[in-house]
Amino acid sequence: MISRKTVIIVLVILPLGLAYRPEFVGTVKNVTVQEGREAVLSCTVDKLRTYKVAWVRVDTQTILTIHTTVITRNPRVTLEHNGHTNWHLHISDVNEQDRGAYMCQINTDPMISQAGFLQVVVPPKINDLGSSTDMIVREMQDISLRCRASGFPPPRVQWRREDGAAIQRGNGRDSAAMLVEGEQLNITRVSRLHMGAYLCIARNGILPAVSKRVDVKVHFGPVMLVSSQLESAYVGQRSKRLQCETEAYPRSINYWTNGAGEMIVASEKYQLKTVEKSLYQLSMILIIHHIQRGDFQNYRCVAKNSLGEVDGVISLDEEPAPTTYSTVKLNQNIYTSPAESPAETAAEREEVVPARPDPRSDRQWDGVRRGPTPARPERPPPGLGKPGEASAGDRYSVERTSSRATVTQDAQWLLVAIVAAAVEAYWGLR
């Protein structure tokens, strides 16, 4: 029979033992680490005393460490501790196989433990083995582009054109889109408009995002477009430009021929140019210099590749040379009669000498010697000459009339010149 004294001792010692049991401080936190980096799981314990701490992989029940000793043979696993409170499990160069729960436990009776989860994220990666490569197709065929991507979380795959144009997947109104979701891109009845580079882009929120470029080339025979089949020029014209537009892939061989079927080669007479507009479009340009009468004929632009040949014809006809007008310049002549001739200038009539007083006058002499003032000739009255001889007055009237007639004739010539200049300016504007 248990005595009262024994019961009292047990009731006193039991609370003291519970007070010194080890316990966890906080929890083992979940950790997310990108593949290839180091993960650290931390466990903090209080009042450990003689008890021991161990780390265990939950899903495989693998013991990794016991107290201060690393048990596992995995060289990537290490332990950092201070012997009492802090116990840190390090896993370097983590990979997807390290993903899972890890337990920190203390060997009490019963055992106590805490667990944390290690999440390993993986940037997206495009697998070349299951993805499409550059392809060559014929027009009107159906194609399917594939892009296989991996990563964690599972990546999101989108398709877009490298040149920023919309992707035409079919003939419907809603078949065009700037971005297409999914690992597979299907295009029906491809044409030359589908030619170009397509980008498969994979993202899962873990940097960096990745992409793959798939180049699609569409083969088709040449097509020729001549915007103006009839051109004109005139003899003596400096140059004339003829132009054809062609589309072809593979790239076509392009050349010009004259009316006799002879191939035109570059020379001082002919200048040949090609201007590339896109992967399959170009302009053929022929410039003919110093137009002569023999240049008025048919010119043929030809394009050919392995899938066909096409040509276009431009006819160069003669047109009348533009009318030219010459400008008449009239000299402005001033006609004066002898009676209207200017008198001698003031400089000829004045001579500067030193000033001195005039003895014949009370006024001061200003130093300018003046000649005699010429008398103004009076107009003689008409009819005072000898019989049969025109008088001085009549001759004066004739001279004045002749002067007025000359001035009137100059005004008429000036008016003709103004009209000619106006006509030339009118035709020049046209």
Side-chain angles (χ1 to χ4, degrees):
M1 185 174 181
I2 302 175
S3 65
R4 170 183 271 181
K5 185 176 180 179
T6 303
V7 172
I8 293 173
I9 293 174
V10 170
L11 292 176
V12 171
I13 294 175
L14 182 62
L16 292 176
L18 293 176
Y20 285 98
R21 284 176 61 88
E23 59 184 13
F24 292 104
V25 178
T27 61
V28 177
K29 295 182 179 180
N30 297 332
V31 176
T32 300
V33 179
Q34 184 171 327
E35 182 182 37
R37 298 185 179 180
E38 183 182 52
V40 179
L41 293 101
S42 299
C43 180
T44 304
V45 181
D46 189 23
K47 296 177 284 190
L48 183 61
R49 296 191 296 170
T50 60
Y51 293 94
K52 299 185 184 301
V53 175
W55 281 99
V56 179
R57 175 81 181 260
V58 175
D59 54 353
T60 62
Q61 292 297 307
T62 303
I63 299 176
L64 303 176
T65 67
I66 296 178
H67 207 55
T68 60
T69 305
V70 177
I71 303 301
T72 181
R73 294 185 179 182
N74 188 341
R76 298 184 295 112
V77 177
T78 58
L79 180 67
E80 179 188 0
H81 63 90
N82 62 2
H84 300 282
T85 306
N86 300 317
W87 304 84
H88 305 291
L89 180 67
H90 291 256
I91 305 175
S92 62
D93 192 21
V94 297
N95 53 51
E96 290 191 86
Q97 285 70 36
D98 298 324
R99 184 184 296 118
Y102 292 80
M103 180 188 297
C104 175
Q105 64 182 20
I106 304 174
N107 63 339
T108 57
D109 188 17
M111 180 192 68
I112 60 175
S113 64
Q114 285 185 341
F117 194 87
L118 172 60
Q119 181 64 272
V120 180
V121 295
V122 182
K125 179 181 178 181
I126 296 177
N127 304 317
D128 292 334
L129 184 61
S131 302
S132 299
T133 57
D134 296 346
M135 60 177 60
I136 299 174
V137 297
R138 294 286 296 270
E139 274 193 317
M140 308 310 293
Q141 289 183 347
D142 298 340
I143 62 173
S144 180
L145 306 181
R146 293 179 300 277
C147 181
R148 299 286 183 259
S150 61
F152 191 88
R156 176 187 181 187
V157 178
Q158 293 178 318
W159 289 90
R160 71 175 179 87
R161 289 193 58 147
E162 188 178 50
D163 58 7
I167 298 176
Q168 300 286 341
R169 291 177 291 173
N171 298 323
R173 177 177 298 178
D174 300 330
S175 63
M178 300 301 296
L179 290 174
V180 178
E181 299 281 346
E183 292 188 345
Q184 188 159 314
L185 173 63
N186 298 318
I187 303 177
T188 59
R189 300 172 64 85
V190 296
S191 69
R192 66 201 67 180
L193 299 178
H194 294 102
M195 188 181 303
Y198 293 78
L199 296 179
C200 158
I201 304 171
R203 301 184 179 91
N204 67 350
I206 310 300
L207 298 178
V210 292
S211 65
K212 180 179 176 61
R213 185 177 187 271
V214 180
D215 196 14
V216 176
K217 291 183 171 59
V218 181
H219 282 195
F220 61 95
V223 177
M224 185 72 69
L225 173 63
V226 181
S227 58
S228 178
Q229 295 181 332
L230 182 62
E231 295 285 349
S232 61
Y234 58 88
V235 175
Q237 185 171 327
R238 179 175 297 177
S239 63
K240 183 63 181 180
R241 176 190 177 110
L242 307 181
Q243 183 167 334
C244 297
E245 307 293 335
T246 180
E247 298 180 1
Y249 199 86
R251 286 286 179 84
S252 57
I253 299 173
N254 309 295
Y255 59 92
W256 291 84
T257 62
N258 57 22
E262 300 171 343
M263 183 181 296
I264 298 176
V265 296
S267 62
E268 293 183 358
K269 179 68 176 179
Y270 300 107
Q271 184 179 356
L272 304 175
K273 291 183 179 181
T274 57
V275 179
E276 296 183 3
K277 295 184 175 180
S278 70
L279 187 63
Y280 59 90
Q281 295 175 314
L282 61 83
S283 298
M284 300 174 56
I285 301 172
L286 171 64
I287 301 177
I288 308 172
H289 296 285
H290 308 298
I291 301 300
Q292 301 174 0
R293 199 169 301 278
D295 296 327
F296 301 118
Q297 54 181 305
N298 291 336
Y299 294 88
R300 183 167 164 257
C301 48
V302 183
K304 61 170 61 177
N305 66 5
S306 59
L307 301 177
E309 178 179 346
V310 70
D311 64 5
V313 178
I314 300 178
S315 179
L316 181 61
D317 294 341
E318 183 179 3
E319 67 179 16
T323 305
T324 58
Y325 296 89
S326 60
T327 303
V328 179
K329 294 184 179 180
L330 299 177
N331 293 327
Q332 296 181 354
N333 298 324
I334 300 176
Y335 297 88
T336 56
S337 63
E340 295 174 340
S341 298
E344 60 178 312
T345 62
E348 295 174 346
R349 291 185 284 106
E350 296 181 358
E351 179 183 359
V352 179
V353 297
R356 65 176 182 269
D358 185 1
R360 295 171 297 177
S361 173
D362 295 335
R363 294 176 299 174
Q364 286 292 328
W365 189 32
D366 58 3
V368 178
R369 180 180 298 172
R370 294 177 174 82
T373 302
R376 183 176 181 179
E378 297 182 359
R379 179 179 176 180
L384 295 181
K386 298 179 180 180
E389 179 182 352
S391 64
D394 292 335
R395 288 195 303 270
Y396 185 82
S397 298
V398 171
E399 292 174 356
R400 296 290 292 181
T401 303
S402 175
S403 176
R404 293 193 191 96
T406 302
V407 173
T408 302
Q409 186 177 10
D410 287 345
Q412 292 176 350
W413 277 108
L414 181 60
L415 178 61
V416 171
I418 293 173
V419 172
V423 171
E424 184 178 7
Y426 172 77
W427 283 105
L429 291 176
R430 294 197 57 171

